[in-house]
Amino acid sequence: MRAIDRIYIDGAFVTPHGEERFDLFNPSTEEKTGTVRLADAEDVRMAVAAAKRAFPAMRDTSPKERIEMLHALRDAVAARADVLKEAMALEYGAPQSFLAFSVPHAAHVFETAARTVADYAFTRRIGNAEIIMEPVGVAAAITPWNSNIGFICTKLATALAAGTSIVVKPSEMSAIQTQAVLEALHDAGLPRGVLNVVNGYGHVVGAALSESPDIAKITFTGSTATGRTILRAAADTFKRVTLELGGKGPQILLDDADLDRAVPHIVASAFRNSGQACIAGTRLLVPEHRLAEVSERLGEAVSRIKVGPPDDPDATIGPMVSARQWERVQSFIRLGRKAGATVLVGGEGRPAGLDRGWFVRPTVFTGVTNDMEIARQEIFGPVLSVIAYRDEAQAIAIANDTEYGLQSYVLGADIERMRRVARRLEAGRVVLNEAPSDSQVPFGGFKHSGIGREFGPFGLDAFLEPKAIVG
Ligand code: NAD
């Protein structure tokens, strides 16, 4: 049983002023694994004050000094890879495939940020003016549970690249993972107060950060509903805000697609991170005349997916993070049936052989229309909706008929045609045939999927203010 009873302020692990405790669970077994002592608004005040004290020295660091800090963080995270994997497996139930990606990724984001700093023009000239890209001020980060370690590292990396200090509020459901990554980050020996981490509830700690007059910038990843609340709270003090929110990504399968290649891509995009991914491609748009063959291939592929705990090396889908998330997915599967969609594979309940743990059956619905709730709402579990289309124009219209606009996918054989379709999609990112992306490529959403971009120079811009000195 773990008792997480410290937060991190001014370079030290300290006991929070807040006294409330929150239970932590292993989602693969439903057993309680520990508790976290939650911080309160007084702790936020202390953390923000520490970050504020650290800001002037951080603002004055050279790009070279920032790169050195980023490299130290990269090495510190890489050195603890085994501990981080263990924490993610215990508290999140991440399958081996996700662990193999996400822990190296958490170290790599510091390398990416260092590269961005090395190439970034922090001073520029326009006519008779010198433009200086200055850090915006003390930053706050609020992060979700579905990739806790990765989000903490990404947001810290960007803040340091910009030359600012940060207060991080991770999801209260990820306290064991937060503790593990924090011990690694502490080893990097950052100056005091540059990094502060405060566990706590969103409506307490998150709200206090959103309102604080000493925070100039909020970077948030989480649900669209919470993003809206943060945006409102941040307005009073004119905070700069980056919001990475939900998605309902379409995957457009063009009629010339080779199914041997496309079906594995479709399955990977729909079910990545056990379906608990904002970028999951959860609406599959299929040409009417290929529906029968696509359904057959998809049914076979999804019924072969192994669901199980992290210590099952063949499992590629793990449990949902909580009982609440499990119920949410079940209720959407029921909604899909009620609306008249057909369960091609999966359905309600647990997969065979798993009677404990918040495991769900990977589910594919056919006969879905884009007005059904399962096609409109972000389910955040392994549930894919198949929607038929007549022609390319209709596929694009259906793809764009959503409040979201985070990541879309196009699958086909003709690259020029896929690019033409991609240019018409309302999304911050469009992936062609599951191509991997360079880590500096901007990421973020159109419409209700967010505001601003992360990673590379676009991500760095969002932590900086241009100051023009004229004459
Ligand atoms: P959530 O919005 O419930 O919580 C996210 C964070 O916000 C948590 O730390 C939470 O404590 C905090 N929070 C809650 N209420 C708050 C308030 N009133 N003020 C300030 N902070 C508050 O999201 P979640 O359930 O943890 O995560 C799942 C969601 O995150 C999904 O909608 C998913 O799409 C989204 N997400 C988006 C991205 C992206 O990059 N676009 C990536 C991953 C997850």
Side-chain angles (χ1 to χ4, degrees):
M1 202 61 81
R2 300 280 301 270
I4 310 288
D5 54 7
R6 303 290 169 96
I7 53 177
Y8 190 75
I9 295 181
D10 212 14
F13 289 91
V14 297
T15 302
H17 176 266
E19 291 182 350
E20 201 173 340
R21 301 273 194 306
F22 178 82
D23 288 340
L24 303 166
F25 294 90
N26 177 341
S28 306
T29 61
E30 302 178 32
E31 282 160 5
K32 186 172 158 184
T33 49
T35 57
V36 53
R37 178 166 167 171
L38 301 175
D40 62 14
E42 173 61 17
D43 296 304
V44 172
R45 207 183 53 72
M46 302 282 287
V48 172
K52 199 176 166 187
R53 285 194 299 277
F55 177 70
M58 197 56 214
R59 180 190 54 207
D60 293 342
T61 49
S62 65
K64 184 169 169 283
E65 287 168 310
R66 295 178 199 171
I67 290 170
E68 280 166 10
M69 286 183 200
L70 290 162
H71 284 165
L73 288 160
R74 172 200 63 194
D75 296 344
V77 170
R80 299 258 186 151
D82 288 346
V83 182
L84 298 179
K85 279 187 185 164
E86 213 177 285
M88 272 186 82
L90 173 74
E91 188 177 49
Y92 182 58
Q96 290 299 327
S97 52
F98 190 63
L99 293 174
F101 155 78
S102 48
V103 173
H105 168 78
H108 188 68
V109 294
F110 293 110
E111 174 66 36
T112 302
R115 269 204 291 141
T116 305
V117 172
D119 296 340
Y120 195 85
F122 286 94
T123 57
R124 310 165 193 185
R125 286 208 77 86
I126 297 181
N128 69 341
E130 183 188 31
I131 317 297
I132 304 172
M133 300 301 285
E134 282 195 359
V136 61
V138 176
I142 302 176
T143 62
W145 43 260
N146 67 329
S147 181
N148 175 69
I149 291 170
F151 289 127
I152 291 174
C153 291
T154 302
K155 292 177 191 308
L156 169 63
T158 314
L160 293 197
T164 190
S165 50
I166 192 165
V167 180
V168 182
K169 191 215 92 66
S171 171
E172 59 277 17
M173 289 158 67
S174 309
I176 293 174
Q177 297 163 83
T178 298
Q179 180 70 18
V181 75
L182 209 40
E183 283 166 10
L185 299 173
H186 178 72
D187 286 350
L190 291 178
R192 282 174 55 179
V194 167
L195 168 66
N196 306 275
V197 179
V198 184
N199 289 314
Y201 284 128
H203 66 276
V204 178
V205 171
L209 286 170
S210 311
E211 288 160 11
S212 168
D214 291 323
I215 296 290
K217 162 88 195 172
I218 294 248
T219 170
F220 169 72
T221 298
S223 64
T224 293
T226 305
R228 196 174 280 124
T229 305
I230 290 173
L231 190 58
R232 284 203 186 99
D236 280 342
T237 44
F238 290 97
K239 288 183 176 48
R240 278 50 179 164
V241 177
T242 300
L243 301 176
E244 297 290 358
L245 309 177
K248 191 71 195 177
Q251 301 197 51
I252 300 184
L253 182 81
L254 294 174
D255 56 9
D256 60 1
D258 167 5
L259 293 189
D260 286 341
R261 292 183 61 200
V263 170
H265 290 335
I266 292 168
V267 171
S269 308
F271 300 120
R272 58 169 42 105
N273 195 2
S274 308
Q276 300 179 127
C278 52
I279 56 171
T282 49
R283 291 183 296 148
L284 176 65
L285 312 191
V286 178
E288 268 167 3
H289 68 279
R290 298 198 71 181
L291 196 56
E293 90 188 279
V294 170
S295 300
E296 190 186 334
R297 298 284 290 273
L298 202 55
E300 277 167 20
V302 175
S303 49
R304 278 199 307 270
I305 292 177
K306 180 95 191 284
V307 179
D311 59 8
D312 179 344
D314 299 326
T316 53
I317 292 191
M320 302 295 93
V321 73
S322 62
R324 189 161 158 232
Q325 195 63 23
W326 189 87
E327 285 298 345
R328 177 181 165 84
V329 176
Q330 299 302 315
S331 73
F332 273 105
I333 296 174
R334 282 193 293 276
L335 262 180
R337 272 187 201 280
K338 264 199 195 147
T342 305
V343 174
L344 176 70
V345 53
E348 284 162 64
R350 288 182 167 73
L354 291 168
D355 45 12
R356 277 190 76 73
W358 295 311
F359 296 100
V360 304
R361 300 166 70 192
T363 298
V364 179
F365 278 109
T366 53
V368 179
T369 54
N370 204 46
D371 56 352
M372 290 181 187
E373 286 301 296
I374 53 169
R376 302 211 76 79
Q377 305 274 344
E378 182 183 52
I379 299 172
F380 229 56
V383 181
L384 174 65
S385 293
V386 180
I387 302 172
Y389 70 83
R390 254 186 339 270
D391 54 26
E392 198 178 288
Q394 194 193 21
I396 293 167
I398 295 171
N400 289 338
D401 176 18
T402 169
E403 287 181 345
Y404 294 111
L406 192 60
Q407 182 151 305
S408 301
Y409 302 80
V410 182
L411 301 130
D414 173 351
I415 188 75
E416 280 315 315
R417 183 180 174 204
M418 285 191 284
R419 289 212 174 102
R420 193 177 69 228
V421 171
R423 281 195 288 271
R424 294 183 56 195
L425 295 178
E426 296 162 359
R429 195 180 273 193
V430 184
V431 179
L432 309 182
N433 284 344
E434 197 67 4
S437 142
D438 186 278
S439 51
Q440 288 190 304
V441 171
F443 175 72
F446 280 26
K447 304 195 276 188
H448 296 196
S449 284
I451 294 177
R453 295 292 178 271
E454 289 193 294
F455 305 126
F458 288 93
L460 185 49
D461 283 346
F463 277 68
L464 297 167
E465 292 275 23
K467 177 195 279 179
I469 301 178
V470 183

